[in-house]
């Protein structure tokens, strides 16, 4: 098959767009499309200081690459989770992220959870009931908290993440199957800033996972192939499998599911729960970040629970 724009051989065929492109035209197409999504959704401008959360996976590294190619002022944030010890998952993702930053002369902030909290994520998860049931829950809440805190403390205007269409459609399916109206109300490619919370944007929300993977491969970006070992059995992966089946039967189904939701949201209101939560936000008595829970925010409360439990176990001579 030939490229739609020249005589070269096409390297990718995006059936949902009825578009086949050669390597060079594909490597141009992704930044152009990204720029259009940023503009159409009022995400940010070249005046803004942007912080991109980089995991070492393809989406966030490709996003960092594309935003810097587009001329945005964009620094990276890597959060060290301490998964699988010295040469394991986290160490390797950090090495990949640091080497990308060095190669492209980009600034990277690294924030190591163990350094700040005294324990890595797997150990912390094993010490809470919620964490033992779902190790990713303490991880997710910690990442969200740290991303906001680092962005606010360092005066960034917007925090961006590498979430792609597959991620967003899977979250939407989960929210819809359970009719989580407050989450549906807040789901979208841009979350405006509000009392103590930085503006958040997901510039890749319209790209399929295979499109960002193809860009990484064609641009020679080294990325972490492995999924987090704790992701096994996660609901989001199951939802992605279901959506892939749907997509295989009906090209463009994922894109249309997500875009139709965004269109419907313009005219439809789920409920006002989200607004009530916003009105009730107040600073956490320990870290000062906005929270709707009384006294401590969920991050401080969870980590306090972890440290207390650890202390009790040490007193009783039990190793975690
Ligand atoms: P995930 O929740 O792992 O699918 O990741 C979604 C997005 O969160 C990624 O595209 C990154 O932008 C960000 N992210 C995930 N893990 C990290 C991390 N360890 N450090 C910084 N950002 C991360
Ligand atoms: Fe955090 Fe899996 S437990 S990425
Ligand atoms: Zn071409
Ligand atoms: Zn707090």
């Amino acid at each position: 098959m030939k490229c739609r724009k020249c005589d070269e051989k096409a390297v990718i065929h995006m059936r949902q767009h009825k578009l086949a492109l050669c390597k060079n035209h594909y490597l141009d197409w992704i930044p152009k499309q990204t720029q259009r999504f940023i503009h159409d959704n009022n995400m940010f401008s070249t005046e803004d200081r942007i912080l991109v959360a980089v995991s070492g996976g393809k989406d966030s590294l490709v996003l960092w690459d594309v935003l810097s190619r587009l001329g945005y002022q964009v620094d990276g944030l890597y959060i060290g989770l301490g998964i699988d010890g010295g040469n394991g998952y986290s160490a390797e993702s950090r090495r990949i992220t640091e080497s990308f930053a060095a190669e492209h002369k980009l600034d990277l902030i690294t924030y190591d959870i163990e350094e700040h909290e005294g324990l890595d994520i797997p150990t912390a998860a094993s010490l809470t009931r919620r964490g033992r049931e779902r190790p990713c829950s303490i991880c997710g809440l910690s990442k969200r908290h740290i991303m906001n805190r680092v962005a606010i403390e360092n005066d960034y205007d917007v925090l961006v993440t590498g979430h792609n269409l597959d991620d967003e459609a899977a979250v939407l399916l989960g929210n819809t199957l359970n009719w989580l109206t407050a989450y549906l109300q807040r789901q979208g490619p841009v979350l405006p800033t509000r009392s103590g919370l930085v503006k958040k944007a997901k510039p890749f929300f319209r790209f399929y996972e295979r499109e960002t993977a193809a860009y990484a491969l064609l641009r020679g970006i080294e990325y972490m192939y492995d999924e987090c070992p704790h992701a096994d059995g996660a609901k989001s992966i199951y939802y992605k499998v279901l959506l892939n089946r749907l997509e295989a039967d009906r090209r463009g189904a994922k894109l249309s599911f997500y875009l139709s939701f965004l269109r419907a949201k313009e005219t439809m209101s789920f409920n006002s729960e989200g607004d009530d939560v916003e009105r009730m936000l107040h600073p956490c008595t320990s870290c000062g970040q906005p929270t709707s829970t009384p006294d401590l925010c969920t991050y401080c409360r969870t980590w306090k629970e972890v440290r207390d439990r650890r202390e009790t176990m040490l007193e009783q001579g039990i190793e975690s």
Side-chain angles (χ1 to χ4, degrees):
M1 186 177 292
K2 279 200 177 166
C3 171
R4 155 101 65 91
K5 301 190 181 194
C6 72
D7 273 346
E8 290 289 317
K9 187 170 164 275
V11 292
I12 186 161
H13 182 202
M14 292 165 285
R15 287 193 180 83
Q16 75 284 5
H17 299 309
K18 296 189 179 65
L19 180 65
L21 293 172
C22 70
K23 176 177 172 181
N24 286 342
H25 280 117
Y26 186 66
L27 290 177
D28 271 357
W29 183 80
I30 289 278
K32 277 190 188 134
Q33 289 291 100
T34 309
Q35 182 52 49
R36 186 164 73 82
F37 305 154
I38 292 170
H39 177 265
D40 291 353
N41 293 277
N42 269 321
M43 289 186 176
F44 42 78
S45 74
T46 47
E47 303 294 304
D48 290 319
R49 290 187 66 232
I50 302 161
L51 183 65
V52 58
V54 192
S55 63
K58 61 182 176 333
D59 302 300
S60 47
L61 283 172
V62 166
L63 180 58
W64 204 3
D65 184 72
V66 167
L67 293 184
S68 48
R69 278 183 70 194
L70 287 168
Y72 290 104
Q73 314 172 50
V74 55
D75 298 340
L77 165 65
Y78 173 79
I79 302 169
L81 308 164
I83 294 170
D84 279 358
N87 296 313
Y89 175 79
S90 290
E92 183 60 3
S93 340
R94 180 177 180 151
R95 182 194 66 72
I96 289 174
T97 306
E98 285 178 342
S99 99
F100 179 90
E103 192 186 321
H104 294 82
K105 299 189 172 48
L106 293 164
D107 289 330
L108 175 69
I109 301 174
T110 50
Y111 187 106
D112 194 79
I113 293 199
E114 188 172 3
E115 227 171 86
H116 286 81
E117 302 296 345
L119 292 172
D120 58 35
I121 288 289
T123 314
S126 70
L127 290 168
T128 61
R129 195 166 41 82
R130 189 172 152 189
R132 274 193 300 278
E133 283 160 14
R134 285 180 51 220
C136 286
S137 79
I138 186 165
C139 176
L141 85 86
S142 300
K143 284 193 286 197
R144 281 192 298 278
H145 176 94
I146 292 162
M147 284 177 197
N148 188 65
R149 187 152 156 184
V150 172
I152 294 279
E153 286 177 0
N154 294 281
D155 289 328
Y156 285 97
D157 299 297
V158 50
L159 171 82
V160 301
T161 51
H163 292 97
N164 58 36
L165 176 66
D166 293 60
D167 299 324
E168 292 301 290
V171 172
L172 177 59
L173 183 59
N175 287 344
T176 310
L177 288 175
N178 298 296
W179 285 116
L180 300 174
T181 50
Y183 287 111
L184 284 165
Q185 182 73 22
R186 264 183 289 145
Q187 190 178 352
V190 185
L191 272 180
T193 179
R194 53 194 179 107
S195 49
L197 294 172
V198 70
K199 178 174 180 178
K200 298 187 184 75
K202 299 169 185 167
F204 281 178
F205 74 105
R206 289 182 62 153
F207 287 137
Y208 281 72
E209 197 171 314
R210 73 185 274 268
E211 293 166 1
T212 57
Y215 181 98
L217 238 62
L218 295 168
R219 225 30 209 144
I221 296 173
E222 184 196 12
Y223 66 86
M224 189 75 188
Y225 287 92
D226 298 339
E227 286 278 346
C228 165
H230 299 285
D232 266 0
K235 274 214 189 92
S236 57
I237 296 186
Y238 175 62
Y239 293 147
K240 280 185 182 177
V241 171
L242 292 180
L243 286 163
N244 283 342
R245 271 202 229 161
L246 190 64
E247 180 79 25
D249 290 343
R250 198 156 62 87
R251 287 287 160 204
K254 266 184 239 181
L255 188 60
S256 119
F257 176 48
Y258 189 64
L259 294 184
S260 313
F261 159 70
L262 293 183
R263 268 194 303 275
K265 227 176 86 166
E266 282 172 19
T267 51
M268 192 161 80
S269 175
F270 290 96
N271 64 19
S272 60
E273 207 180 314
D275 295 342
D276 292 342
V277 168
E278 187 170 343
R279 249 178 267 128
M280 278 158 21
L281 286 183
H282 59 85
C284 161
T285 52
S286 172
C287 71
Q289 288 226 70
T291 177
S292 55
T293 51
D295 194 16
L296 294 178
C297 69
T298 315
Y299 177 87
C300 291
R301 193 164 23 81
T302 308
W303 279 95
K304 183 178 178 312
E305 191 187 319
V306 166
R307 276 188 296 268
D308 289 351
R309 175 110 181 96
R310 169 88 164 167
E311 229 166 84
T312 316
M313 287 175 77
L314 288 176
E315 276 165 18
Q316 294 170 350
I318 306 167
E319 279 296 313
S320 59

